[in-house]
Amino acid sequence: MSLTTAQAIASLLNDDDRAALHAIFGDRVRFDEPLAAYTSWKIGGPADAFATVESEAELAALMRHCFARALPWFVLGSGSNVLVGDGGMRGIVLRLGGAFAEIAARVDGDRVIVEAGASAGMAALTAKAASLGAIGIGSLAGIPGTVGGSLRMNAGTDREMGDFVHEVWVQSPLKPDPHPVTVQYYYRHTSLARDAVVARVTLAFERGDPKHVREEMQARLVRRKSTQPIALPNAGSCFRNPEGDKAARLIESVGAKGWRVGGAEVSPLHANFINNVGGATAADVASLLARVRRAVHDRCGVDLQLEVHLIGVFIDQAHTRDDEEK
Ligand SMILES: Cc1cc2nc3c(=O)[nH]c(=O)nc-3n(C[C@H](O)[C@H](O)[C@H](O)COP(=O)(O)OP(=O)(O)OC[C@H]3O[C@@H](n4cnc5c(N)ncnc54)[C@H](O)[C@@H]3O)c2cc1C
Protein backbone atom coordinates (compact mmCIF):
# COMPACT_ATOMS: atom_id res chain seq x y z
CA MET A 1 0.00 0.00 0.00
CA SER A 2 1.49 3.35 -0.94
CA LEU A 3 0.81 6.62 0.84
CA THR A 4 -0.58 9.70 -0.86
CA THR A 5 1.54 12.86 -0.52
CA ALA A 6 -1.10 14.31 1.84
CA GLN A 7 -0.83 11.26 4.10
CA ALA A 8 2.97 11.30 3.96
CA ILE A 9 3.20 14.89 5.13
CA ALA A 10 0.38 14.84 7.73
CA SER A 11 1.62 15.20 11.32
CA LEU A 12 1.58 12.02 13.40
CA LEU A 13 1.26 13.92 16.66
CA ASN A 14 -2.00 14.40 18.55
CA ASP A 15 -2.79 16.99 21.22
CA ASP A 16 -1.69 14.62 24.01
CA ASP A 17 1.71 14.16 22.33
CA ARG A 18 2.16 17.90 22.02
CA ALA A 19 1.22 18.39 25.68
CA ALA A 20 3.63 15.62 26.77
CA LEU A 21 6.46 17.17 24.75
CA HIS A 22 5.72 20.61 26.21
CA ALA A 23 5.83 19.10 29.70
CA ILE A 24 9.32 17.66 29.06
CA PHE A 25 10.88 20.48 27.02
CA GLY A 26 8.89 23.68 27.59
CA ASP A 27 9.94 26.24 24.95
CA ARG A 28 12.61 23.90 23.59
CA VAL A 29 10.09 22.00 21.49
CA ARG A 30 8.74 23.47 18.26
CA PHE A 31 6.03 22.06 16.09
CA ASP A 32 6.07 21.93 12.27
CA GLU A 33 9.60 23.32 12.38
CA PRO A 34 11.38 23.60 9.00
CA LEU A 35 14.63 21.61 9.17
CA ALA A 36 16.60 23.44 6.46
CA ALA A 37 18.27 25.70 9.04
CA TYR A 38 19.58 22.66 10.92
CA THR A 39 21.37 21.04 8.01
CA SER A 40 24.60 22.00 6.25
CA TRP A 41 22.82 21.75 2.85
CA LYS A 42 20.20 24.26 4.10
CA ILE A 43 17.51 21.97 2.71
CA GLY A 44 14.61 20.12 4.29
CA GLY A 45 10.89 20.32 5.05
CA PRO A 46 9.28 20.52 8.50
CA ALA A 47 9.48 18.08 11.40
CA ASP A 48 6.22 17.36 13.25
CA ALA A 49 8.18 18.24 16.38
CA PHE A 50 11.74 19.45 16.84
CA ALA A 51 13.11 19.24 20.38
CA THR A 52 16.41 20.32 21.87
CA VAL A 53 17.30 17.79 24.56
CA GLU A 54 19.59 19.12 27.27
CA SER A 55 20.12 16.23 29.68
CA GLU A 56 20.17 12.44 29.87
CA ALA A 57 17.02 12.60 32.03
CA GLU A 58 15.16 14.53 29.31
CA LEU A 59 16.37 12.10 26.67
CA ALA A 60 15.15 9.17 28.79
CA ALA A 61 11.73 10.83 29.20
CA LEU A 62 11.49 11.39 25.44
CA MET A 63 12.53 7.82 24.67
CA ARG A 64 9.86 6.51 27.04
CA HIS A 65 7.16 8.65 25.40
CA CYS A 66 8.19 7.57 21.89
CA PHE A 67 8.18 3.92 22.96
CA ALA A 68 4.78 4.14 24.67
CA ARG A 69 3.18 5.85 21.66
CA ALA A 70 5.20 3.99 18.98
CA LEU A 71 6.21 7.39 17.58
CA PRO A 72 9.04 7.62 15.08
CA TRP A 73 11.95 9.82 16.05
CA PHE A 74 15.26 10.82 14.55
CA VAL A 75 18.38 12.24 16.17
CA LEU A 76 20.06 15.00 14.23
CA GLY A 77 23.63 16.10 14.96
CA SER A 78 24.78 19.15 13.07
CA GLY A 79 23.04 17.87 9.95
CA SER A 80 26.25 17.75 7.90
CA ASN A 81 25.69 14.29 6.45
CA VAL A 82 21.94 14.20 5.81
CA LEU A 83 19.58 15.17 3.02
CA VAL A 84 16.14 15.88 4.52
CA GLY A 85 13.24 15.43 2.09
CA ASP A 86 11.14 18.42 1.06
CA GLY A 87 8.13 16.76 2.73
CA GLY A 88 9.95 16.93 6.07
CA MET A 89 9.98 14.30 8.80
CA ARG A 90 7.14 12.67 10.64
CA GLY A 91 7.38 12.21 14.38
CA ILE A 92 10.00 13.87 16.53
CA VAL A 93 13.38 15.15 15.44
CA LEU A 94 15.67 15.66 18.39
CA ARG A 95 18.89 17.51 18.68
CA LEU A 96 21.14 17.21 21.72
CA GLY A 97 22.47 20.27 23.53
CA GLY A 98 23.03 21.52 27.10
CA ALA A 99 25.02 18.97 29.14
CA PHE A 100 25.58 16.89 25.99
CA ALA A 101 27.92 19.62 24.67
CA GLU A 102 30.52 19.22 27.43
CA ILE A 103 34.10 18.19 26.66
CA ALA A 104 36.85 17.34 29.15
CA ALA A 105 40.37 16.47 28.03
CA ARG A 106 43.27 15.33 30.23
CA VAL A 107 46.69 13.75 30.09
CA ASP A 108 46.89 10.28 31.59
CA GLY A 109 50.50 9.05 31.52
CA ASP A 110 51.44 8.62 27.85
CA ARG A 111 47.85 9.01 26.67
CA VAL A 112 45.40 11.86 26.06
CA ILE A 113 41.87 11.06 27.21
CA VAL A 114 38.91 13.04 25.89
CA GLU A 115 35.43 12.66 27.35
CA ALA A 116 32.82 14.33 25.18
CA GLY A 117 29.05 14.64 25.14
CA ALA A 118 27.42 13.67 21.86
CA SER A 119 26.48 17.22 20.83
CA ALA A 120 30.00 18.58 21.31
CA GLY A 121 31.41 19.83 18.00
CA MET A 122 34.29 18.01 16.38
CA ALA A 123 36.04 21.37 15.94
CA ALA A 124 36.13 21.95 19.72
CA LEU A 125 37.11 18.35 20.39
CA THR A 126 39.99 18.32 17.92
CA ALA A 127 41.29 21.69 19.17
CA LYS A 128 41.30 20.50 22.81
CA ALA A 129 42.86 17.17 22.01
CA ALA A 130 45.53 18.74 19.80
CA SER A 131 46.50 21.19 22.54
CA LEU A 132 47.43 18.18 24.71
CA GLY A 133 49.34 16.44 21.90
CA ALA A 134 46.81 13.76 20.86
CA ILE A 135 48.53 11.86 18.05
CA GLY A 136 46.25 11.24 15.05
CA ILE A 137 43.74 13.96 15.88
CA GLY A 138 44.58 15.72 12.60
CA SER A 139 42.69 12.98 10.74
CA LEU A 140 39.47 14.16 12.43
CA ALA A 141 40.13 17.88 11.98
CA GLY A 142 37.83 19.92 9.74
CA ILE A 143 34.91 17.49 9.97
CA PRO A 144 31.96 19.81 10.61
CA GLY A 145 29.89 17.38 12.68
CA THR A 146 29.06 16.56 16.27
CA VAL A 147 30.70 13.79 18.26
CA GLY A 148 27.49 11.68 18.13
CA GLY A 149 27.05 12.02 14.37
CA SER A 150 30.74 11.37 13.76
CA LEU A 151 30.62 8.27 15.92
CA ARG A 152 27.56 6.95 14.06
CA MET A 153 29.25 7.66 10.69
CA ASN A 154 32.71 6.53 11.81
CA ALA A 155 33.82 9.81 10.28
CA GLY A 156 37.43 10.47 9.45
CA THR A 157 40.04 10.60 6.73
CA ASP A 158 43.10 8.35 6.80
CA ARG A 159 42.14 7.47 10.38
CA GLU A 160 38.59 7.37 11.75
CA MET A 161 36.63 7.93 14.96
CA GLY A 162 36.58 4.20 15.68
CA ASP A 163 40.39 4.11 15.82
CA PHE A 164 40.29 6.22 18.96
CA VAL A 165 37.08 5.20 20.74
CA HIS A 166 37.51 3.83 24.23
CA GLU A 167 33.91 3.83 25.44
CA VAL A 168 30.44 4.72 24.09
CA TRP A 169 27.33 5.38 26.18
CA VAL A 170 23.90 5.30 24.55
CA GLN A 171 20.21 5.62 25.38
CA SER A 172 17.32 3.99 23.52
CA PRO A 173 13.55 3.53 23.78
CA LEU A 174 13.99 0.00 25.20
CA LYS A 175 16.81 1.02 27.57
CA PRO A 176 16.29 4.75 28.20
CA ASP A 177 18.94 5.14 30.88
CA PRO A 178 22.54 5.68 29.69
CA HIS A 179 24.49 2.45 29.30
CA PRO A 180 27.77 1.45 27.62
CA VAL A 181 27.75 -0.51 24.36
CA THR A 182 30.35 -2.20 22.21
CA VAL A 183 30.45 -0.86 18.65
CA GLN A 184 32.09 -2.26 15.52
CA TYR A 185 33.47 0.33 13.10
CA TYR A 186 33.41 0.10 9.31
CA TYR A 187 34.07 2.51 6.46
CA ARG A 188 31.60 5.37 7.14
CA HIS A 189 29.21 3.26 9.18
CA THR A 190 29.07 1.30 12.41
CA SER A 191 27.20 -1.53 14.10
CA LEU A 192 25.47 0.96 16.41
CA ALA A 193 21.79 -0.05 16.72
CA ARG A 194 19.41 2.17 14.70
CA ASP A 195 17.48 3.06 17.86
CA ALA A 196 20.55 3.99 19.91
CA VAL A 197 21.23 7.64 20.66
CA VAL A 198 24.87 8.24 21.50
CA ALA A 199 24.95 10.21 24.76
CA ARG A 200 28.71 10.41 25.42
CA VAL A 201 31.98 9.03 24.19
CA THR A 202 35.48 8.57 25.60
CA LEU A 203 38.40 8.72 23.17
CA ALA A 204 41.99 7.76 23.93
CA PHE A 205 45.05 8.88 21.96
CA GLU A 206 48.76 8.28 22.23
CA ARG A 207 50.46 11.42 23.47
CA GLY A 208 53.01 13.31 21.42
CA ASP A 209 54.47 16.78 21.19
CA PRO A 210 51.53 19.28 21.25
CA LYS A 211 53.38 21.75 18.99
CA HIS A 212 54.00 19.11 16.35
CA VAL A 213 50.43 17.79 16.58
CA ARG A 214 48.94 21.31 16.25
CA GLU A 215 51.14 22.09 13.23
CA GLU A 216 50.17 18.86 11.49
CA MET A 217 46.48 19.57 12.15
CA GLN A 218 46.81 23.11 10.83
CA ALA A 219 48.44 21.86 7.62
CA ARG A 220 45.53 19.47 7.06
CA LEU A 221 42.99 22.25 7.62
CA VAL A 222 44.77 24.45 5.06
CA ARG A 223 44.80 21.57 2.54
CA ARG A 224 41.07 21.00 3.11
CA LYS A 225 40.33 24.66 2.39
CA SER A 226 42.02 24.48 -0.99
CA THR A 227 40.46 21.17 -2.09
CA GLN A 228 36.89 21.41 -0.73
CA PRO A 229 34.13 24.02 -1.21
CA ILE A 230 33.77 24.46 2.55
CA ALA A 231 32.18 27.93 2.34
CA LEU A 232 29.17 26.65 0.36
CA PRO A 233 26.15 24.69 1.68
CA ASN A 234 26.84 21.00 1.03
CA ALA A 235 27.20 17.76 2.95
CA GLY A 236 30.77 16.84 2.14
CA SER A 237 31.32 13.71 0.08
CA CYS A 238 28.03 12.35 -1.21
CA PHE A 239 29.23 8.89 -2.23
CA ARG A 240 31.53 6.42 -0.48
CA ASN A 241 34.80 5.63 -2.18
CA PRO A 242 34.53 2.24 -3.89
CA GLU A 243 37.18 -0.33 -3.02
CA GLY A 244 40.52 0.74 -4.50
CA ASP A 245 39.22 3.91 -6.15
CA LYS A 246 37.90 7.41 -5.39
CA ALA A 247 34.30 8.43 -6.02
CA ALA A 248 35.47 11.96 -6.91
CA ARG A 249 37.82 10.62 -9.60
CA LEU A 250 35.04 8.53 -11.18
CA ILE A 251 32.55 11.40 -11.09
CA GLU A 252 35.07 13.79 -12.62
CA SER A 253 35.89 11.22 -15.33
CA VAL A 254 32.29 11.29 -16.61
CA GLY A 255 32.47 15.08 -16.90
CA ALA A 256 29.96 15.74 -14.12
CA LYS A 257 31.70 18.73 -12.52
CA GLY A 258 29.34 21.68 -12.90
CA TRP A 259 26.23 19.58 -13.71
CA ARG A 260 23.13 21.22 -12.32
CA VAL A 261 19.58 20.33 -11.39
CA GLY A 262 17.64 23.35 -10.13
CA GLY A 263 19.74 24.94 -7.38
CA ALA A 264 22.00 21.90 -6.92
CA GLU A 265 25.39 21.76 -8.60
CA VAL A 266 28.20 19.18 -8.69
CA SER A 267 31.08 21.18 -7.25
CA PRO A 268 33.59 22.36 -9.84
CA LEU A 269 36.24 22.09 -7.08
CA HIS A 270 35.52 18.60 -5.69
CA ALA A 271 33.39 16.28 -7.83
CA ASN A 272 32.02 14.28 -4.88
CA PHE A 273 30.45 17.39 -3.33
CA ILE A 274 27.07 18.78 -4.39
CA ASN A 275 26.58 22.43 -3.53
CA ASN A 276 23.32 24.24 -2.93
CA VAL A 277 24.07 27.23 -5.12
CA GLY A 278 20.72 28.89 -4.38
CA GLY A 279 17.28 27.59 -3.47
CA ALA A 280 18.03 23.92 -4.08
CA THR A 281 15.35 21.49 -2.98
CA ALA A 282 15.93 17.95 -1.73
CA ALA A 283 14.34 16.79 -4.99
CA ASP A 284 16.98 18.76 -6.94
CA VAL A 285 19.82 17.12 -5.00
CA ALA A 286 18.26 13.64 -5.17
CA SER A 287 17.78 14.02 -8.91
CA LEU A 288 21.40 15.16 -9.40
CA LEU A 289 22.69 12.29 -7.24
CA ALA A 290 20.73 9.85 -9.39
CA ARG A 291 22.07 11.40 -12.60
CA VAL A 292 25.69 11.19 -11.39
CA ARG A 293 25.22 7.62 -10.19
CA ARG A 294 23.70 6.57 -13.51
CA ALA A 295 26.52 8.15 -15.52
CA VAL A 296 29.24 6.47 -13.41
CA HIS A 297 27.42 3.15 -13.68
CA ASP A 298 26.96 3.41 -17.44
CA ARG A 299 30.42 4.68 -18.31
CA CYS A 300 32.65 3.20 -15.59
CA GLY A 301 30.65 0.10 -14.58
CA VAL A 302 30.80 1.10 -10.90
CA ASP A 303 27.75 1.31 -8.61
CA LEU A 304 28.44 4.21 -6.27
CA GLN A 305 26.93 3.91 -2.79
CA LEU A 306 25.61 6.93 -0.94
CA GLU A 307 27.54 8.18 2.06
CA VAL A 308 24.95 10.84 2.91
CA HIS A 309 21.77 9.65 4.60
CA LEU A 310 18.51 10.46 2.78
CA ILE A 311 15.84 10.93 5.43
CA GLY A 312 12.21 12.02 5.63
CA VAL A 313 9.63 12.39 2.88
CA PHE A 314 10.83 12.94 -0.69
CA ILE A 315 8.24 14.41 -3.03
CA ASP A 316 8.14 15.85 -6.52
CA GLN A 317 11.27 14.20 -7.86
CA ALA A 318 10.16 14.63 -11.46
CA HIS A 319 12.44 17.00 -13.34
CA THR A 320 12.40 18.01 -16.95
CA ARG A 321 15.40 17.41 -19.17
CA ASP A 322 15.77 21.18 -19.47
CA ASP A 323 16.29 21.43 -15.72
CA GLU A 324 19.00 18.79 -15.85
CA GLU A 325 20.85 20.42 -18.70
CA LYS A 326 21.03 23.87 -17.06
C1 LIG B 1 32.36 20.43 4.20
C2 LIG B 1 32.21 19.03 4.77
C3 LIG B 1 33.33 18.23 4.92
C4 LIG B 1 33.19 16.93 5.44
N1 LIG B 1 34.31 16.17 5.58
C5 LIG B 1 34.20 14.91 6.07
C6 LIG B 1 35.37 14.09 6.23
O1 LIG B 1 36.49 14.49 5.97
N2 LIG B 1 35.21 12.84 6.71
C7 LIG B 1 33.97 12.33 7.03
O2 LIG B 1 33.88 11.18 7.45
N3 LIG B 1 32.85 13.09 6.90
C8 LIG B 1 32.93 14.36 6.43
N4 LIG B 1 31.81 15.13 6.29
C9 LIG B 1 30.48 14.56 6.60
C10 LIG B 1 29.98 14.85 8.03
O3 LIG B 1 30.55 16.03 8.54
C11 LIG B 1 30.29 13.71 8.96
O4 LIG B 1 29.64 12.53 8.54
C12 LIG B 1 29.87 14.02 10.40
O5 LIG B 1 30.46 13.12 11.24
C13 LIG B 1 28.36 13.99 10.60
O6 LIG B 1 28.09 14.52 11.89
P1 LIG B 1 26.74 15.30 12.18
O7 LIG B 1 26.71 15.64 13.62
O8 LIG B 1 26.58 16.44 11.24
O9 LIG B 1 25.67 14.17 11.87
P2 LIG B 1 24.27 14.31 11.11
O10 LIG B 1 24.51 14.63 9.68
O11 LIG B 1 23.36 15.19 11.86
O12 LIG B 1 23.75 12.81 11.22
C14 LIG B 1 24.43 11.77 10.54
C15 LIG B 1 23.90 10.43 11.08
O13 LIG B 1 24.30 10.31 12.44
C16 LIG B 1 23.18 10.10 13.26
N5 LIG B 1 23.42 10.75 14.56
C17 LIG B 1 23.65 12.06 14.80
N6 LIG B 1 23.83 12.27 16.12
C18 LIG B 1 23.68 11.05 16.71
C19 LIG B 1 23.70 10.60 18.07
N7 LIG B 1 23.91 11.43 19.09
N8 LIG B 1 23.49 9.27 18.30
C20 LIG B 1 23.25 8.41 17.28
N9 LIG B 1 23.20 8.78 15.99
C21 LIG B 1 23.42 10.08 15.71
C22 LIG B 1 22.01 10.70 12.51
O14 LIG B 1 20.79 10.14 12.94
C23 LIG B 1 22.38 10.36 11.09
O15 LIG B 1 21.99 9.03 10.80
C24 LIG B 1 31.91 16.43 5.78
C25 LIG B 1 30.79 17.27 5.65
C26 LIG B 1 30.94 18.55 5.15
C27 LIG B 1 29.72 19.43 5.04
Side-chain angles (χ1 to χ4, degrees):
M1 189 188 71
S2 61
L3 291 178
T4 63
T5 302
Q7 286 168 329
I9 62 173
S11 176
L12 293 181
L13 305 183
N14 62 26
D15 289 345
D16 289 346
D17 294 318
R18 292 192 177 89
L21 291 170
H22 257 307
I24 302 172
F25 298 110
D27 289 348
R28 281 180 283 112
V29 62
R30 296 179 186 180
F31 299 103
D32 307 310
E33 175 76 354
L35 293 174
Y38 306 104
T39 73
S40 59
W41 246 321
K42 304 296 169 216
I43 290 173
D48 291 347
F50 180 80
T52 305
V53 182
E54 296 202 332
S55 67
E56 292 177 347
E58 283 183 3
L59 182 55
L62 177 64
M63 295 282 97
R64 287 194 182 94
H65 182 77
C66 290
F67 183 70
R69 283 268 299 123
L71 280 175
W73 55 271
F74 184 85
V75 54
L76 197 60
S78 56
S80 65
N81 206 55
V82 290
L83 179 62
V84 180
D86 299 315
M89 297 189 71
R90 303 294 68 82
I92 298 151
V93 173
L94 63 113
R95 194 177 55 160
L96 304 177
F100 290 104
E102 286 167 15
I103 307 178
R106 66 189 150 85
V107 171
D108 180 14
D110 56 2
R111 296 193 309 167
V112 174
I113 305 293
V114 182
E115 291 167 332
S119 76
M122 289 301 286
L125 182 145
T126 51
K128 275 205 175 183
S131 71
L132 297 180
I135 292 177
I137 194 66
S139 51
L140 304 180
I143 296 173
T146 60
V147 167
S150 299
L151 189 290
R152 158 84 62 196
M153 296 304 304
N154 191 22
T157 51
D158 50 329
R159 297 182 75 185
E160 306 163 324
M161 277 297 270
D163 293 336
F164 307 107
V165 173
H166 180 61
E167 202 169 39
V168 181
W169 287 66
V170 302
Q171 298 179 240
S172 70
L174 278 175
K175 277 177 90 175
D177 293 324
H179 56 280
V181 286
T182 303
V183 180
Q184 307 298 324
Y185 299 89
Y186 310 104
Y187 171 52
R188 300 296 171 268
H189 69 114
T190 61
S191 66
L192 194 68
R194 276 310 324 161
D195 70 347
V197 179
V198 177
R200 51 192 139 105
V201 174
T202 305
L203 305 175
F205 303 84
E206 280 177 50
R207 184 167 179 242
D209 171 22
K211 183 168 176 287
H212 177 78
V213 168
R214 273 201 307 266
E215 281 170 3
E216 196 245 334
M217 186 164 101
Q218 198 50 38
R220 283 174 178 259
L221 289 171
V222 169
R223 197 158 61 242
R224 206 179 254 275
K225 261 192 182 162
S226 65
T227 55
Q228 297 182 357
I230 54 177
L232 288 169
N234 59 57
S237 292
C238 293
F239 295 99
R240 297 178 188 182
N241 289 325
E243 186 87 36
D245 209 337
K246 295 271 185 212
R249 190 198 71 76
L250 291 162
I251 298 167
E252 188 165 356
S253 77
V254 301
K257 274 186 168 179
W259 281 0
R260 273 200 188 195
V261 175
E265 181 186 62
V266 177
S267 165
L269 185 60
H270 189 309
N272 202 12
F273 281 47
I274 288 183
N275 295 324
N276 176 356
V277 291
T281 61
D284 291 338
V285 176
S287 176
L288 190 53
L289 287 169
R291 188 176 173 214
V292 166
R293 201 162 179 258
R294 202 164 51 235
V296 170
H297 173 267
D298 291 351
R299 296 188 223 164
C300 311
V302 176
D303 276 326
L304 291 177
Q305 302 300 316
L306 281 178
E307 178 173 325
V308 291
H309 291 181
L310 270 51
I311 56 177
V313 179
F314 281 73
I315 47 178
D316 183 29
Q317 296 208 21
H319 277 271
T320 64
R321 224 182 144 64
D322 287 343
D323 279 335
E324 290 195 349
E325 298 307 331
K326 262 181 213 166

